[in-house]
Amino acid sequence: MVASYLLATTSCTDFSDYNTIDASAEPSADKTLWENIEANADLSDFASVLRKVGYDKVLNESHTYTVWAPVNGSFNKDSLFSLSDEKITKEFVNNMIADYSHLETDINDTTIYMLNEKLQKFTGKNTSSMSFAGIELIPNSKLQKYNCPSTNGLLYTITNPSAFRYNAYEIISEQKDEASKFHDLVMRFHTETLDESRSVPGKIVDGVQQYDDSVMIVSNQMMSQMLRAQVSNEDSLYTIFIPNDEAWEEASARIAPYYNYLSEMVYQDLSHKDLVGVKGGGTTAAACFMKAGLGQMTSKLASKPADSELSSDAAYMQDSVTWRFMTQDLVYSETNKHYNSKLSSGARFEEGDTLYSTTRSKRTNLPELDEATVSRIQLSNGHARVINKIPFKSWETYAPEIRTRSVGRYITATGNSFSTVRVENLPDTLCTFDYPTETELRYVRINVPDGNSAAPEMDFPLHGVLSTTYDIYAVVVPGWLEHMGDEEYVRKPYTLRFDINYTNEKNEEVRARFNGEEAITTATVATKIAPFLCGDQKIDTLKLGRVTFPVCYAGTDAYPNIKVLCTLSSFGSANRKKYDQQIRIANIILKPIDLVEYEEKLKATKKED
């Protein structure tokens, strides 16, 4: 049997259970790897480690291995013995052993999977620049020997063993004392399932298959699905930011108020049958706002999980969404050199730098990220940074600007439809786009037939609104845009008002009208608000007013809505000559107060400069 399995010169791509190498006259060739290690006085420390974790038996079996055995004095045995057997096995023993025979005489550079599934480069073989795991292996004394054959593999003796490095998933558990809250959240999604195809079956006990060697498949839904990152994959390269408990507490306190939920919340459903054909209001105090409670529905949060320790559905929802936004941009692929090259190089960030996360989000404010970095850790598949603050801008993460041109309800006397219009190649005097990627203007328009006297309305549902303060704007498009080149077209302004319907913290309906600064809830005052005369010469971005929403709608069926109405009750021929009857809206914009204050600060700084 020994003769037939004397180790052969097959490559590491031979994935049979047993490799063979050339027969050898060396004395070691008729002994097992364990016997050769045990017999070598320079490997006595390594032998005692192997014996402690049961690898004296493993390396005495017929399965083929290659062992890079560190000599005495090249590692701290006493420090190792203070660890658990599991940790010793994974981080030291299995970091020195690989399946199959890996010959130094094979001139091809290879990547080797160690038993702990770490990847190590074996390069420059049979040359003066040979290295393993990035460490030079040129013999400098009698202690370093290569290709020593055994009956079940090859033995290398080395004076500089490779250091174990955690991957981007393993490092989370290693930081659990400092980052316990982040660790606990991630581990809620940790699962391990048996890989039957790779496990070694043993006896069947009471009809259940037992395994002598169980191989487990580790997965984490949070990482793979929510963050879109395979952080345990040794072939990948990531940087993961790990918020310590200080960062976690600060971010939770900062973000949670934006997600103040009610377990049940009333709202005006714009698709409700009771709203069909109903006008939004009138010009008298009695008919200022649409009738209270009209089209009202109740949105209920889903029941909390059975194992939740939180006291209410609303609290569970608030915490869940808060944690989701805190963690959604903590992983970055280092292979994205366009944005993320400084993560792998370790260079400091500058103003204007941008990172691109695995959730496909761009993040700025990066010099503060450098300042928040407590420590940097080299990983087997990238880098980790422990941070004491999550400094990403709120409007780039958990409190974004909201834009919509989605019409939830419209009304004209004849029930005519609305349409979406696209216009390209606009002159700069008419429109300056907010983003470089924008090349065309899109807007929605009520289609009132010529000669009809209807005073149209449009209602816009505002999905994703948070419990925070917004400045609200409407982008109004002039009618002459549809008549460019017609010199006889008469440019006419709109006469518009804007109402809003939302829910307060007592779960009560709020109806209000914008006056350019705020939303007025008192009907007698609202009737005296001057109309917005706009949109005759250019695209007007009107500031409607500032509103603080006391409850959060994001992730629910509920929403506030804005009604755009003509201040005229009807359009006779005289009014049609004076005002534009159609309504054209390019966007309703909700700009969070954080962004407003940031932009105001930038403007003030530029003015000073």
Side-chain angles (χ1 to χ4, degrees):
M1 179 179 292
V2 170
S4 64
Y5 286 104
L6 280 174
L7 304 175
T9 56
T10 56
S11 74
C12 64
T13 57
D14 181 358
F15 288 97
S16 61
D17 284 343
Y18 303 98
N19 281 345
T20 57
I21 62 172
D22 287 337
S24 173
E26 291 190 29
S28 66
D30 62 352
K31 298 181 179 65
T32 67
L33 285 164
W34 168 248
E35 289 170 337
N36 283 320
I37 291 170
E38 188 179 36
N40 188 334
D42 294 322
L43 299 179
S44 60
D45 285 351
F46 185 55
S48 65
V49 175
L50 295 176
R51 192 181 293 109
K52 175 174 172 54
V53 296
Y55 263 63
D56 52 338
K57 299 178 181 63
V58 173
L59 296 182
N60 221 25
E61 296 173 353
S62 56
H63 186 91
T64 302
Y65 297 104
T66 298
V67 181
W68 283 264
V71 299
N72 296 346
S74 64
F75 66 95
N76 191 322
K77 182 183 72 171
D78 293 336
S79 294
L80 275 178
F81 277 21
S82 68
L83 305 177
S84 67
D85 285 2
E86 180 182 11
K87 208 169 181 65
I88 295 171
T89 301
K90 179 178 180 179
E91 298 181 12
F92 183 74
V93 172
N94 285 348
N95 207 48
M96 307 297 168
I97 305 174
D99 277 321
Y100 316 115
S101 57
H102 300 277
L103 288 161
E104 173 263 339
T105 53
D106 176 7
I107 63 172
N108 295 316
D109 290 346
T110 51
T111 298
I112 298 173
Y113 280 85
M114 309 306 288
L115 290 189
N116 58 7
E117 298 185 347
K118 299 297 176 182
L119 300 178
Q120 303 292 13
K121 300 286 187 181
F122 197 8
T123 61
K125 289 177 281 186
N126 204 27
T127 72
S128 60
S129 57
M130 183 173 66
S131 67
F132 179 73
I135 300 171
E136 187 179 14
L137 288 182
I138 300 302
N140 53 20
S141 73
K142 64 179 182 178
L143 296 178
Q144 293 199 137
K145 297 179 180 179
Y146 310 123
N147 293 344
C148 299
S150 302
T151 60
N152 60 344
L154 293 175
L155 179 64
Y156 292 72
T157 58
I158 58 175
T159 58
N160 195 3
S162 61
F164 173 83
R165 298 191 188 279
Y166 300 104
N167 63 39
Y169 187 60
E170 294 165 334
I171 195 63
I172 296 171
S173 291
E174 291 307 307
Q175 296 297 317
K176 65 181 177 182
D177 291 338
E178 187 176 357
S180 63
K181 297 183 183 298
F182 176 62
H183 167 269
D184 291 349
L185 177 65
V186 173
M187 289 302 116
R188 289 186 189 182
F189 300 88
H190 178 91
T191 59
E192 295 184 18
T193 55
L194 179 70
D195 185 346
E196 295 184 5
S197 64
R198 296 167 60 197
S199 298
V200 179
K203 297 179 180 179
I204 297 178
V205 179
D206 296 330
V208 178
Q209 177 69 65
Q210 305 297 307
Y211 291 88
D212 294 336
D213 183 14
S214 299
V215 177
M216 306 302 292
I217 300 174
V218 174
S219 61
N220 189 291
Q221 187 182 37
M222 176 180 172
M223 289 294 168
S224 62
Q225 297 184 27
M226 299 180 192
L227 300 187
R228 301 176 182 174
Q230 304 298 322
V231 291
S232 61
N233 188 340
E234 298 287 345
D235 280 331
S236 301
L237 287 173
Y238 293 102
T239 287
I240 181 170
F241 291 92
I242 301 176
N244 64 17
D245 288 347
E246 176 187 351
W248 192 269
E249 294 289 355
E250 187 278 333
S252 294
R254 173 165 38 96
I255 298 173
Y258 288 80
Y259 297 94
N260 180 32
Y261 286 96
L262 297 178
S263 294
E264 295 186 6
M265 181 162 53
V266 298
Y267 71 104
Q268 187 177 67
D269 180 4
L270 294 177
S271 64
H272 198 285
K273 60 181 179 60
D274 290 348
L275 290 177
V276 176
V278 177
K279 298 287 287 183
T283 57
T284 66
C288 180
F289 301 122
M290 183 177 283
K291 181 180 176 182
L294 195 62
Q296 193 171 94
M297 296 287 287
T298 299
S299 174
K300 297 182 180 181
L301 296 181
S303 297
K304 63 181 179 180
D307 60 351
S308 171
E309 298 178 357
L310 301 171
S311 59
S312 70
D313 297 338
Y316 179 83
M317 185 79 167
Q318 182 182 39
D319 283 348
S320 297
V321 177
T322 298
W323 296 336
R324 176 69 182 272
F325 277 103
M326 286 167 58
T327 58
Q328 72 170 358
D329 295 305
L330 294 180
V331 183
Y332 298 81
S333 171
E334 292 185 4
T335 58
N336 186 334
K337 299 301 182 183
H338 181 72
Y339 288 106
N340 301 340
S341 60
K342 287 186 176 181
L343 293 176
S344 54
S345 70
R348 292 186 66 83
F349 293 113
E350 299 176 1
E351 291 291 345
D353 283 343
T354 301
L355 289 177
Y356 190 77
S357 72
T358 55
T359 56
R360 302 172 187 170
S361 300
K362 294 179 182 178
R363 297 292 169 251
T364 60
N365 204 36
L366 303 184
E368 284 197 26
L369 193 59
D370 276 336
E371 296 304 316
T373 299
V374 176
S375 61
R376 290 179 172 87
I377 304 167
Q378 177 75 48
L379 303 176
S380 61
N381 63 348
H383 300 82
R385 291 197 193 191
V386 178
I387 54 176
N388 60 19
K389 185 178 181 181
I390 304 174
F392 300 133
K393 296 172 181 174
S394 61
W395 55 93
E396 290 183 348
T397 49
Y398 55 87
E401 179 180 279
I402 298 172
R403 294 185 173 221
T404 183
R405 67 174 69 92
S406 176
V407 180
R409 189 182 81 106
Y410 65 92
I411 183 170
T412 71
T414 58
N416 293 101
S417 66
F418 71 93
S419 60
T420 300
V421 182
R422 298 168 61 172
V423 182
E424 296 182 295
N425 302 319
L426 292 172
D428 293 340
T429 55
L430 176 67
C431 176
T432 301
F433 292 116
D434 292 334
Y435 307 109
T437 54
E438 290 182 290
T439 58
E440 62 183 17
L441 174 70
R442 295 189 183 193
Y443 61 91
V444 288
R445 177 190 65 191
I446 282 287
N447 298 321
V448 181
D450 290 340
N452 191 280
S453 62
E457 300 177 10
M458 303 175 82
D459 290 41
F460 295 87
L462 307 176
H463 295 288
V465 168
L466 309 181
S467 48
T468 190
T469 301
Y470 295 90
D471 276 354
I472 302 180
Y473 303 83
V475 182
V476 181
V477 177
W480 70 260
L481 190 65
E482 298 166 5
H483 300 271
M484 287 190 294
D486 184 355
E487 297 181 358
E488 296 182 0
Y489 179 79
V490 179
R491 302 185 182 190
K492 297 172 288 188
Y494 302 100
T495 173
L496 301 175
R497 74 168 186 262
F498 297 83
D499 289 354
I500 188 169
N501 186 295
Y502 64 96
T503 305
N504 66 18
E505 67 277 9
K506 297 179 181 179
N507 201 24
E508 299 168 336
E509 178 186 32
V510 177
R511 298 171 297 157
R513 180 164 299 167
F514 289 106
N515 65 3
E517 295 295 332
E518 58 183 336
I520 304 300
T521 59
T522 305
T524 54
V525 179
T527 57
K528 299 176 183 178
I529 295 174
F532 288 87
L533 294 177
C534 56
D536 54 339
Q537 298 299 322
K538 62 181 180 64
I539 296 175
D540 282 329
T541 299
L542 308 175
K543 181 180 178 181
L544 305 183
R546 180 168 292 182
V547 175
T548 298
F549 295 95
V551 297
C552 177
Y553 296 83
T556 74
D557 297 329
Y559 51 82
N561 68 78
I562 284 181
K563 304 180 188 304
V564 185
L565 310 93
C566 294
T567 57
L568 302 173
S569 58
S570 66
F571 276 83
S573 59
N575 282 335
R576 285 197 298 272
K577 290 179 181 179
K578 191 175 181 180
Y579 301 106
D580 199 324
Q581 186 178 10
Q582 316 287 354
I583 300 176
R584 302 171 182 86
I585 301 293
N587 261 316
I588 300 294
I589 302 172
L590 280 72
K591 187 170 291 189
I593 188 65
D594 290 353
L595 177 56
V596 173
E597 293 173 350
Y598 174 78
E599 290 177 342
E600 289 175 349
K601 184 177 179 180
L602 283 182
K603 288 179 182 178
T605 302
K606 289 180 180 179
K607 187 177 293 186
E608 290 176 1
D609 294 342

